[in-house]
Amino acid sequence: MQTKTTKTILLNEWRLLAADRTLRIVLPLFVVLFAYALANGMAWVRFQEHTVQVVRDGNVQRTDALERDLTAIENGGQPSSPFRDPRSANVMGGPRGARSVALDPGPLTALAVGQSDLLPYYYDVSIYTNESTFLQNGEVENPLNLMVGRFDLAFVAVYLLPLLVLAMSFNVLSGEREQGTLALTLSQPVSARRFVTVKLAFRALLVMAAAVGVSLAGILISGGFGSSGPLGRVLLWCAALTVYALFWFSLTAWINSLGRSSSWNATVLVGAWLVLVVVLPAAINIAAGLLHPLPSRVEMITAQREASNDAVNRRSELLARYLEDHPELAGGGDADEPNRAALAWAATDAVNRRLEAVSERHRMGRDEQNDLVRRYRFLSPALLVQELLIDAAGTGDARFARFQSQVRAFAGQWQSFFVPAILAGEKMSADVLPTLPDFNFVDESLGDVGQRATVPLSALIILVGLVGVGAWVGLGRVRGAG
Amino acid sequence: MESGPESRMKNANKILTADESETPADSAGAALAPALEARSLTKRYEEVEAVVGLDLRVGPSEIYCLLGPNGAGKTTTIHLFLGFLEPTSGSAHVMGLDVAEEPLKSKTHLAYVPEQVMLYRNLSGLENLAYFAALGGKESLSTGRLTEILGEAGLEADAVHSRVSAYSKGMRQKVGIAIAIAKEADALLLDEPTSGLDPEASNEFSELLEQLKDRGVAVLMATHDLFRAKETGTRVGIMRHGRLVAEMTTDEIGHADLERIYLEHMHE
């Protein structure tokens, strides 16, 4: 009986949808929005892929140029300038021979650009790489995009999907009551709870079919299925979307169960959207900024300049102190008669140390901000789902932090390779080039992503459960059409 | 035992209280097991007593008309039988099932026609009937049979496939009756179904009720229409301030008697 009732309500919903002009306009409109958002995301992926390719091509070109110059010098040629002599370790390890490292787009970047347009995804690593390197983004980006985020599928899902859900269901029960059909419906052997649940399930199926369908199409078109471990990410993406949509459907069910008018429902639900999706996340971000302000970039640049000036003035002293600190490197160098490169490196090292202090304050401030946001994200399902979506896409903070961490380690390797040679005044040859440290990014595993997703996804499910229980109890109280 | 017109009038004019009401078995149409039964049924809203100690039985093939002014408790009584309201005390039974305990099961035996039958405006009369009949458990009825039922209810053939948004109130009432016919319910609850209908439509409606009565359906109808109650009903109950103050069989009294008794109770 219950199965037949469910089927009957579903069939009627289909008939009503087919006969309802509003839904016939709203749904395709959202499909167009989804498609536009997907196109936006794919445009970003193409841009990032192109940039990464250019960066990697630059590596090859620089290595080729070094090899060519070194071969020429070995064959009797002269470097164009002592400052461009590839045999100098500080030239080969410096900007001329810098190794560019890049992060490929995350597997589902086409769906969620995430932090890709905010955090650097490539660096030029040289012996001069320091903390200021990691605080700069080489790309010139539209500030409006940075402020509001890109209009990608994640944006549509977080901000607009709830509106679609609300548009389709704000009057799921009140509308029946107001048009008078509820009395006739509830005089049949069907409970308000079942009636509303089935009606919402039908709408949820439509919404999810549109959202998940466009997502899967996007992954297919952007070749996401060809990259490593996409299935788990796709599942996480779909799960996050589904649970988020369920939250809004549960909320509409709850509000409808209160027995108020459709206009009241609409006002309350849009208010809830405004608070949960717009106001709370913004308030949490503002609070994070106010309570834990970051040192400004101007402060970082000023510190760098002051340190540089100071270091230039005290290079000899700094080199002596450096060799005192690193006696293992003192074998080839002479603090009393230092070579130019060694003096330069000593200054660089001093600058780096000064910057580390500012950078550490910056990092601590950012960590405190993140902690605050992470602590209060449970207040807003929008924050939770955004975290889940961009993490599933591989464009979240964690993957960029991982990249940065590996780049930092690589920069250390690079310096460890060249600094002893600089201090010893060793000459480089073409034979050195194949032995240079290489950067291979070890991407996060699906387990890492799953582990990070556990808390926000569970929190979202708990929110759905709480609101769902409210709706369940409320609908259980609906007995008649009054 | 008294008999003849005088004694019938006397019985009809008797004011009933919860304590001294006639036992249902005494009533003419309730000799069979009742399809609808109220046992000391009471509904209070804080200070307001909507229905107080109502005892009522409606048997198969009986049309029981509840008369009374607005606010007398007629609609509340119907809503209590439908399970739309929870009784404060007492109980409502449909085919022996306690409505409060088995709300869904009791509704399988019930059909309901409200004062304003409101249907899905974007669907046709046939689609509405198909939906509500299926919801009532008659999902296997063919389109042909559903069309026949709409015809039985008096809906013109050319209106069957038209959108309900173009229907008059009378046409919607007919679809409401068609839903009740399709459901083959044991009991029919009508809440002022002829209000706003023209005399011809009201007459057609009464004929439909007669047919349903002949099929053994128990009908409980709340109405203000004394004439229709006398003509169509087998028994009449008068409610005032939530209490059933008088009850009579319609063949015991004339139109004028009913009007007089009704007015007497209203002026007390």
Side-chain angles (χ1 to χ4, degrees):
Chain A
M1 180 68 187
Q2 289 196 338
T3 312
K4 284 178 182 171
T5 304
T6 300
K7 198 176 149 191
T8 300
I9 299 170
L10 284 175
L11 187 65
N12 196 55
E13 280 299 294
W14 179 251
R15 280 202 196 111
L16 290 173
L17 177 73
D20 187 346
R21 201 177 299 160
T22 314
L23 285 182
R24 275 185 294 173
I25 294 169
V26 169
L27 261 184
L29 179 70
F30 265 83
V31 171
V32 170
L33 281 178
F34 281 137
Y36 175 64
L38 180 60
N40 249 343
M42 289 173 68
W44 171 265
V45 172
R46 281 196 296 276
F47 171 74
Q48 188 174 344
E49 283 175 343
H50 174 73
T51 308
V52 167
Q53 192 53 52
V54 168
V55 165
R56 288 182 179 147
D57 288 348
N59 259 348
V60 175
Q61 286 163 10
R62 277 194 298 275
T63 307
D64 287 351
L66 282 175
E67 191 171 12
R68 202 167 44 242
D69 287 359
L70 284 166
T71 309
I73 290 167
E74 280 167 18
N75 292 332
Q78 287 297 314
S80 57
S81 144
F83 299 103
R84 288 184 57 79
D85 185 348
R87 292 170 300 175
S88 298
N90 66 328
V91 171
M92 188 181 275
R96 224 199 133 187
R99 183 57 52 95
S100 297
V101 296
L103 178 67
D104 285 313
L108 309 183
T109 303
L111 308 188
V113 172
Q115 305 286 35
S116 305
D117 57 352
L118 195 61
L119 299 176
Y121 54 89
Y122 65 88
Y123 296 98
D124 288 336
V125 174
S126 72
I127 53 170
Y128 300 116
T129 297
N130 59 27
E131 286 304 319
S132 73
T133 311
F134 296 107
L135 292 175
Q136 289 164 17
N137 186 353
E139 295 299 331
V140 177
E141 180 54 74
N142 180 345
L144 187 66
N145 281 346
L146 293 181
M147 189 172 71
V148 299
R150 281 190 175 262
F151 191 85
D152 55 11
L153 265 184
F155 180 92
V156 174
V158 173
Y159 290 91
L160 303 184
L161 186 74
L163 291 179
L164 174 62
V165 172
L166 302 190
M168 290 184 74
S169 57
F170 75 97
N171 62 348
V172 65
L173 188 63
S174 58
E176 295 274 347
R177 186 185 295 114
E178 285 160 10
Q179 70 181 352
T181 44
L182 186 61
L184 214 47
T185 300
L186 295 184
S187 71
Q188 309 300 335
V190 59
S191 64
R193 191 182 274 161
R194 171 167 289 268
F195 181 59
V196 171
T197 304
V198 175
K199 281 173 79 76
L200 287 180
F202 178 80
R203 287 159 166 75
L205 275 177
L206 288 180
V207 170
M208 294 321 300
V212 173
V214 173
S215 300
L216 293 178
I219 297 164
L220 200 66
I221 295 168
S222 63
F225 283 120
S227 58
S228 61
L231 194 60
R233 289 179 181 273
V234 171
L235 287 176
L236 178 59
W237 172 277
C238 294
L241 270 186
T242 305
V243 178
Y244 187 56
L246 280 180
F247 170 82
W248 289 102
F249 276 113
S250 305
L251 193 62
T252 56
W254 193 2
I255 297 297
N256 268 274
S257 75
L258 300 178
R260 307 296 287 267
S261 67
S262 294
S263 55
W264 189 87
N265 290 354
T267 307
V268 169
L269 288 167
V270 169
W273 174 83
L274 201 62
V275 169
L276 296 176
V277 177
V278 181
V279 177
L280 267 178
I284 291 171
N285 276 331
I286 290 170
L290 287 176
L291 295 174
H292 306 290
L294 296 182
S296 70
R297 285 192 178 187
V298 174
E299 191 180 344
M300 174 66 95
I301 291 165
T302 306
Q304 188 168 16
R305 282 182 182 163
E306 283 175 357
S308 297
N309 291 338
D310 189 43
V312 167
N313 294 334
R314 303 189 301 120
R315 277 190 297 195
S316 299
E317 182 193 337
L318 290 170
L319 177 62
R321 190 180 298 166
Y322 182 84
L323 291 175
E324 272 177 27
D325 291 345
H326 302 279
E328 74 281 4
L329 300 177
D334 185 343
D336 297 328
E337 292 180 13
N339 62 49
R340 261 199 318 269
L343 287 173
W345 170 250
T348 300
D349 184 64
V351 170
N352 290 350
R353 283 168 191 268
R354 291 270 290 268
L355 288 182
E356 273 169 15
V358 181
S359 171
E360 180 61 14
R361 280 171 47 216
H362 193 278
R363 190 190 59 73
M364 281 172 62
R366 204 179 49 212
D367 288 350
E368 283 169 341
Q369 282 191 353
N370 286 340
D371 284 348
L372 189 139
V373 172
R374 292 176 78 80
R375 206 176 309 135
Y376 291 104
R377 70 194 152 146
F378 302 109
L379 295 176
S380 165
L383 281 176
L384 291 170
V385 80
Q386 186 163 37
E387 181 185 339
L388 284 166
L389 291 179
I390 63 175
D391 216 12
T395 54
D397 282 321
R399 186 162 178 263
F400 280 92
R402 184 184 182 91
F403 173 62
Q404 202 176 77
S405 162
Q406 290 183 29
V407 172
R408 195 176 268 114
F410 175 66
Q413 274 183 287
W414 192 263
Q415 286 172 357
S416 299
F417 185 88
F418 284 104
V419 168
I422 291 170
L423 296 177
E426 282 178 20
K427 293 290 181 189
M428 301 284 120
S429 70
D431 299 337
V432 175
L433 292 175
T435 66
L436 292 180
D438 208 3
F439 179 77
N440 289 303
F441 177 58
V442 181
D443 212 337
E444 57 192 3
S445 71
L446 198 58
D448 296 332
V449 181
Q451 204 171 4
R452 282 198 305 271
T454 306
V455 172
L457 190 59
S458 304
L460 209 49
I461 290 170
I462 289 170
L463 278 178
V464 172
L466 290 175
V467 177
V469 166
W472 189 256
V473 171
L475 288 172
R477 290 187 184 138
V478 177
R479 302 169 66 94
Chain B
M1 188 157 179
E2 289 181 295
S3 62
E6 274 187 20
S7 70
R8 282 205 299 273
M9 281 297 295
K10 198 172 155 189
N11 280 339
N13 205 8
K14 186 179 179 185
I15 299 173
L16 302 175
T17 64
D19 295 333
E20 61 174 11
S21 61
E22 293 174 284
T23 57
D26 296 336
S27 303
L32 296 169
L36 298 169
E37 184 179 11
R39 297 179 192 161
S40 303
L41 190 60
T42 299
K43 179 66 186 177
R44 285 196 186 86
Y45 298 101
E46 295 177 356
E47 300 300 311
V48 180
E49 293 185 322
V51 174
V52 184
L54 178 68
D55 287 296
L56 183 75
R57 287 180 137 199
V58 185
S61 296
E62 188 179 14
I63 299 178
Y64 191 109
C65 296
L66 271 181
L67 294 171
N70 289 334
K74 307 185 298 294
T75 298
T76 303
T77 302
I78 286 177
H79 285 184
L80 285 162
F81 274 111
L82 282 165
F84 286 2
L85 298 170
E86 201 171 353
T88 308
S89 64
S91 56
H93 298 261
V94 176
M95 300 303 287
L97 298 165
D98 188 328
V99 172
E101 286 175 9
E102 298 188 81
L104 297 187
K105 208 168 175 185
S106 65
K107 283 179 193 173
T108 59
H109 300 285
L110 277 179
Y112 170 54
V113 180
E115 180 180 357
Q116 297 273 351
V117 174
M118 301 306 291
L119 304 162
Y120 291 104
R121 293 170 57 80
N122 288 336
L123 303 185
S124 68
L126 182 64
E127 286 170 326
N128 270 285
L129 174 60
Y131 169 61
F132 284 109
L135 213 52
K138 300 289 177 186
E139 62 284 329
S140 58
L141 291 176
S142 66
T143 304
R145 176 62 192 134
L146 292 170
T147 309
E148 269 177 34
I149 292 171
L150 283 170
E152 283 175 40
L155 192 70
E156 300 290 334
D158 56 358
V160 166
H161 295 286
S162 303
R163 282 194 173 197
V164 163
S165 54
Y167 281 19
S168 65
K169 182 186 175 186
M171 292 163 82
R172 283 187 275 116
Q173 295 298 99
K174 286 169 182 172
V175 177
I177 283 288
I179 292 168
I181 295 172
K183 193 173 177 182
E184 295 176 338
D186 298 300
L188 176 59
L189 299 169
L190 303 164
D191 192 359
E192 300 181 23
T194 55
S195 148
L197 291 186
D198 61 47
E200 189 183 352
S202 294
N203 201 44
E204 285 176 7
F205 195 83
S206 295
E207 286 173 14
L208 279 170
L209 287 189
E210 284 292 332
Q211 290 172 23
L212 289 171
K213 186 187 86 172
D214 294 343
R215 292 180 197 177
V217 177
V219 180
L220 176 63
M221 176 164 72
T223 181
H224 290 293
D225 189 343
L226 300 186
F227 175 80
R228 196 67 53 196
K230 164 71 182 92
E231 284 298 301
T232 317
T234 51
R235 272 198 300 156
V236 173
I238 298 174
M239 289 188 81
R240 187 159 180 255
H241 298 320
R243 290 177 166 80
L244 188 64
V245 293
E247 195 178 42
M248 64 213 76
T249 54
T250 53
D251 57 357
E252 291 175 320
I253 53 168
H255 287 289
D257 299 325
L258 179 58
E259 188 172 4
R260 182 182 55 76
I261 295 165
Y262 180 82
L263 289 174
E264 278 174 11
H265 284 299
M266 294 308 110
H267 291 142
E268 276 172 359

